[in-house]
Amino acid sequence: QVQLVESGGGLVQAGGSLRLSCAASGRTFSSYAMGWFRQAPGKEREFVAAINRSGGSTYYADSVKGRFTISRDNAKNTVYLQMNSLKPEDTAVYYCAAQSGYGSRWYWEYDYWGQGTQVTVSS
């Protein structure tokens, strides 16, 4: 069992930056690939970024490539999402998720989810 707790969301102006953190419980964090997803009101959950177990491979949605960076610190059981050049269309609840695999852009392949953190980007 893995419990995930996101933090770092908030209100920011367009062009600004935020860094999301996701702290995981348990001693097996390094056994899981991690992903970030987001969901805006009335829309489906959308893949944002993923990172493999070692942190050596990362994957991004085209909509965030070049602006967002996913990273992890296995010693701290934490995964991060650095978000730069934020746009109003980035507004959503952001979720982190853990997968006992190699990383995926498909939300149904993830085993554990956090409760989400709200990110609001004003124009």
Side-chain angles (χ1 to χ4, degrees), residues 4-9 18-24 29 32-37 48-52 55 57-60 64 67-84 94-97 117:
L4 304 172
V5 179
E6 301 97 335
S7 61
L18 282 174
R19 188 175 83 153
L20 304 184
S21 299
C22 173
F29 177 71
Y32 293 89
M34 300 296 296
W36 285 97
F37 291 77
V48 175
I51 188 167
N52 71 347
S57 294
T58 56
Y59 315 89
Y60 297 94
V64 306
R67 300 188 297 123
F68 290 10
T69 302
I70 188 172
S71 62
R72 66 189 297 161
D73 185 338
N74 286 343
K76 295 183 178 180
N77 283 8
T78 302
V79 62
Y80 304 98
L81 185 68
Q82 178 67 44
M83 305 186 296
N84 299 329
Y94 283 70
Y95 299 90
C96 72
T117 186

Side-chain angles (χ1 to χ4, degrees), residues 38 46-50 59-66 105:
R38 65 188 183 187
E46 174 189 26
F47 170 74
V48 175
Y59 315 89
Y60 297 94
D62 288 343
S63 59
V64 306
K65 202 171 293 183
R105 62 180 59 240

Side-chain angles (χ1 to χ4, degrees), residues 75-115:
K76 295 183 178 180
N77 283 8
T78 302
V79 62
Y80 304 98
L81 185 68
Q82 178 67 44
M83 305 186 296
N84 299 329
S85 302
L86 282 161
K87 304 175 181 179
E89 51 263 43
D90 294 318
T91 295
V93 177
Y94 283 70
Y95 299 90
C96 72
Q99 185 213 28
S100 55
Y102 298 98
S104 169
R105 62 180 59 240
W106 309 115
Y107 70 86
W108 56 84
E109 295 186 352
Y110 284 78
D111 304 298
Y112 303 102
W113 291 84
Q115 82 290 347

